[in-house]
Amino acid sequence: MNPVLEEIYSTIIPSAPYLIAAYALLWVALLVYILIIVRGQKRAEKQLELIEEDVKGRTL
Amino acid sequence: MADSKKRTAHKLPEAGQWPDVLSPWVIVAGIILTTLGFLMAFFVVPPVSGATVNGAELVGDTVVSNKLLMSQKIFYFHMPVAITSFAALAFAAYYCVRFLITRELRFDTCARIAMEVALLFTVMTMITGEMWTRFEWGVWWTWDPRLTTYLILMLIVIAYIVLRNMVDDPIRRAAFASVVGVIAFIDVPICFMVTRLIPSSVHPVVTRAGGMTPEMGLCIALVGVGMMCVAFALYRARFRQVRFAERVDALKERLDD
Amino acid sequence: MSRTTDTPLKVERKHPSSFSQYKVLLTKDLLREVRTKEMLVSMGVYALLVIVVFGVALGFAAPGTDFLEVSGGLLWVMVVFTSLLGLNRSFSVEKECGCLEGLLLAPMDRGVIFLAKATSNLIFLLIVEVIAVPLFWLFFSSVALPAETAPLIALPLLVGSVGIAGVGTLLSTITTNVKGKDVMLALLFIPVVFPLLYACVAATVAVLVGGDVMAESFATPLALAALYDVVMILISWFLYDFVVS
């Protein structure tokens, strides 16, 4: 490749890992929070199940 | 119990109200906008020029005589995420004030969730900022105004969350947390102003040479609105989950009596 | 209740003015300190110990004029940690004697309590600074001598101390009743006080180095620090009511 063109594009490959890491970690952070929400919901639903069984047990 | 609820002059935020109806549309809008912004950042907006190069070449249809920087593309997500985190802090402060005025614990819950979302987006800001700084300046950290202010924002939101864990009584916890929330909201702009206005001899204020082209501005605006939509949807989702858990717990307590 | 005399007894309830309430609270704190000297002694000794640690920390750095720039910052490190100690102790004393609860039973404006507490904290901090800052220079005079503008250091110290006392009083009222109080105070205090610290260190370094650094970066930081003080103290005063209940 033409040496000048090479120099023009010289920073692209070294910067690629940082660029990709930045975007990837962004999505990881969002996913982590979504997982926290989902986990909380599952836990609360399990509690509700326990309560339903308890109520059923009492009315019987 | 139901009567006292009806008698309150204002309606309390609850899962299933109008924001929840909007929520699915908002998240779709958010995803579309951020994807559009992402594509625009990489394909439409011309890359920013770095150091000059000896010689000029024809690239596409312009004569280029500088190094073309790809790493600056991080900025198109870094800035919107930063703005979103501050918007989340503003919402948290709003709910804190409403709690202090009305003493309704529901607002404290809203404030806590808004702070969680603020923390999430602040972490995202720090990640993107770190990656950008590391590549551009070759160091992992500089004490420039933006990074420093975001560090302080992150520390204060963490302090808010730690404080909440340290207090048991719900009303006390809400009162203390709300005060801290208001102080946090006021402190962050002051911090930004101070670090911007006082030049530091060792760590100069880092401002990009050259302004923002309209295309860059549009891209940032697109991603910005998209990120705010994502933040809003996350807030509502978390709010619904927390309210669900709270109601289940309240039910459990009533049954235990 | 029937009275045999003709003239009815006029019971005049004189509600003490806010200022006299403030004076009473303030003198109570100051008198207690004069009697026991508990806080001043511990804060003073703590400041001295911090200076000793600095001595070790800087013991292997080559002396030179660069020290002046670093010393401005170090001075403020000492002030921040000493004030954290002082704030923690001033409220633990109240808790031990149960005075705060007693105060709250009296029908007085909460803002007055805040101002009185903040003023007493400020006075203690200033007294300790008056002793510790010259002491600092005593220990480090062999390393570098400050410029002639040095006495102006009183200004950033004063402005900074006012801000620290104000915000610190609010935050320590929150954290005395919380688990892990000392750490919690530090966790809240340092990010909130950061802009003030930044401005005061900039002004202090300008004062110590003198010359053209002084000309360009003394007025702005000092003005910003003063602005911080005004805003934060007003907010703290207003919010104090919600914290004490």
Side-chain angles (χ1 to χ4, degrees):
Chain A
M1 219 204 290
N2 182 328
V4 179
L5 258 182
E6 246 182 68
E7 217 184 321
I8 289 182
Y9 292 130
S10 60
T11 60
I12 294 193
I13 302 216
S15 69
Y18 294 99
L19 198 57
I20 298 178
Y23 281 103
L25 286 173
L26 267 188
W27 289 114
V28 166
L30 280 171
L31 275 174
V32 163
Y33 194 61
I34 293 180
L35 281 175
I36 292 177
I37 297 180
V38 169
R39 196 179 61 166
Q41 183 76 6
K42 287 219 177 92
R43 226 186 263 154
E45 278 173 5
K46 216 188 299 181
Q47 287 268 339
L48 193 61
E49 266 180 40
L50 287 175
I51 292 180
E52 280 175 349
E53 282 186 25
D54 195 35
V55 167
K56 234 191 291 182
R58 284 197 206 176
T59 51
L60 279 177
Chain B
M1 196 63 168
D3 286 296
S4 69
K5 272 277 167 68
K6 282 200 204 111
R7 258 187 257 125
T8 52
H10 34 255
K11 233 169 56 153
L12 293 177
E14 179 58 274
Q17 289 173 346
W18 62 268
D20 279 331
V21 175
L22 283 181
S23 213
W25 300 108
V26 168
I27 186 69
V28 167
I31 295 179
I32 294 181
L33 284 172
T34 46
T35 315
L36 270 181
F38 180 74
L39 292 172
M40 189 176 169
F42 279 93
F43 293 113
V44 176
V45 181
V48 164
S49 306
T52 44
V53 160
N54 308 324
E57 281 295 319
L58 200 63
V59 175
D61 54 349
T62 43
V63 177
V64 176
S65 58
N66 293 35
K67 287 190 195 171
L68 294 177
L69 293 178
M70 231 356 138
S71 60
Q72 193 261 352
K73 303 288 181 196
I74 298 181
F75 178 72
Y76 297 110
F77 270 71
H78 173 71
M79 174 89 139
V81 170
I83 297 178
T84 309
S85 72
F86 189 69
L89 183 67
F91 267 95
Y94 166 73
Y95 284 121
C96 286
V97 168
R98 285 203 75 179
F99 170 77
L100 289 175
I101 296 178
T102 64
R103 295 265 158 188
E104 291 276 358
L105 280 174
R106 186 68 54 80
F107 291 120
D108 180 56
T109 312
C110 293
R112 164 168 74 108
I113 299 173
M115 278 290 190
E116 282 178 10
V117 172
L119 181 64
L120 172 71
F121 279 85
T122 307
V123 165
M124 285 163 71
T125 311
M126 296 295 268
I127 292 176
T128 48
E130 266 315 271
M131 295 293 135
W132 191 23
T133 311
R134 176 69 181 96
F135 185 70
E136 289 264 338
W137 307 99
V139 290
W140 283 106
W141 184 262
T142 60
W143 287 97
D144 76 301
R146 260 184 303 112
L147 273 179
T148 309
T149 310
Y150 272 96
L151 181 66
I152 298 296
L153 174 58
M154 191 170 75
L155 286 175
I156 236 183
V157 176
I158 292 178
Y160 175 94
I161 294 176
V162 172
L163 179 68
R164 290 191 73 104
N165 287 338
M166 295 285 187
V167 184
D168 293 326
D169 172 35
I171 300 189
R172 227 154 186 214
R173 174 173 61 203
F176 287 169
S178 302
V179 169
V180 171
V182 172
I183 290 192
F185 178 64
I186 296 179
D187 190 51
V188 171
I190 295 184
C191 194
F192 187 69
M193 247 173 45
V194 167
T195 46
R196 248 275 155 80
L197 290 175
I198 300 182
S200 167
S201 57
V202 182
H203 304 284
V205 174
V206 170
T207 41
R208 268 248 99 151
M212 270 208 294
T213 67
E215 297 158 319
M216 287 166 74
L218 180 62
C219 184
I220 291 184
L222 264 183
V223 179
V225 175
M227 276 299 176
M228 297 245 206
C229 294
V230 170
F232 175 76
L234 279 176
Y235 168 82
R236 281 320 289 193
R238 176 74 167 153
F239 181 68
R240 283 177 72 171
Q241 181 254 308
V242 166
R243 280 300 302 153
F244 182 70
E246 274 178 10
R247 278 143 85 190
V248 167
D249 280 337
L251 198 62
K252 193 161 143 208
E253 258 176 52
R254 280 184 68 185
L255 282 179
D256 279 344
D257 298 338
Chain C
M1 206 156 80
S2 59
R3 295 210 143 264
T4 48
T5 53
D6 290 338
T7 48
L9 253 182
K10 241 195 351 187
V11 180
E12 236 181 62
R13 283 256 312 267
K14 213 171 66 138
H15 189 79
S17 76
S18 298
F19 188 64
S20 60
Q21 288 174 347
Y22 169 74
K23 269 199 306 189
V24 165
L25 285 177
L26 186 57
T27 30
K28 161 182 83 84
D29 276 335
L30 292 179
L31 276 179
R32 182 203 290 138
E33 194 49 40
V34 163
R35 245 180 280 142
T36 60
K37 300 190 188 45
E38 212 184 316
M39 250 180 50
L40 282 178
V41 166
S42 48
M43 279 169 83
V45 172
Y46 188 77
L48 179 62
L49 292 172
V50 171
I51 296 177
V52 169
V53 173
F54 285 156
V56 174
L58 298 168
F60 302 96
T65 44
D66 281 327
F67 173 71
L68 283 177
E69 290 164 0
V70 178
S71 66
L74 290 180
L75 199 65
W76 279 96
V77 171
M78 183 183 76
V79 169
V80 165
F81 285 112
T82 309
S83 59
L84 273 175
L85 183 79
L87 287 167
N88 272 317
R89 304 220 65 225
S90 97
F91 271 95
S92 69
V93 161
E94 295 274 329
K95 248 188 114 178
E96 275 164 28
C97 75
C99 304
L100 199 58
E101 282 86 23
L103 266 181
L104 293 175
L105 288 174
M108 70 168 77
D109 181 22
R110 306 298 196 231
V112 171
I113 303 182
F114 168 72
L115 284 178
K117 256 303 172 194
T119 317
S120 71
N121 283 329
L122 176 65
I123 291 178
F124 296 152
L125 190 59
L126 286 176
I127 295 177
V128 172
E129 279 174 15
V130 161
I131 301 174
V133 172
L135 210 59
F136 183 86
W137 285 105
L138 198 87
F139 275 87
F140 292 111
S141 53
S142 59
V143 182
L145 281 175
E148 329 83 47
T149 46
L152 278 176
I153 210 176
L155 277 174
L157 276 175
L158 186 65
V159 175
S161 304
V162 167
I164 288 178
V167 171
T169 306
L170 175 69
L171 292 178
S172 57
T173 315
I174 292 180
T175 58
T176 28
N177 293 313
V178 154
K179 284 187 263 179
K181 9 181 196 268
D182 302 348
V183 173
M184 203 59 237
L185 179 63
L187 206 59
L188 283 170
F189 184 72
I190 292 179
V192 174
V193 145
F194 182 85
L196 183 67
L197 196 62
Y198 191 89
C200 289
V201 170
T204 310
V205 167
V207 159
L208 289 174
V209 170
D212 14 287
V213 182
M214 174 75 186
E216 26 173 272
S217 64
F218 182 65
T220 320
L222 206 57
L224 285 172
L227 176 70
Y228 176 95
D229 278 355
V230 168
V231 170
M232 282 311 216
I233 290 188
L234 280 177
I235 302 276
S236 305
W237 188 5
F238 182 66
L239 288 175
Y240 201 74
D241 201 9
F242 298 106
V243 158
V244 169
S245 38

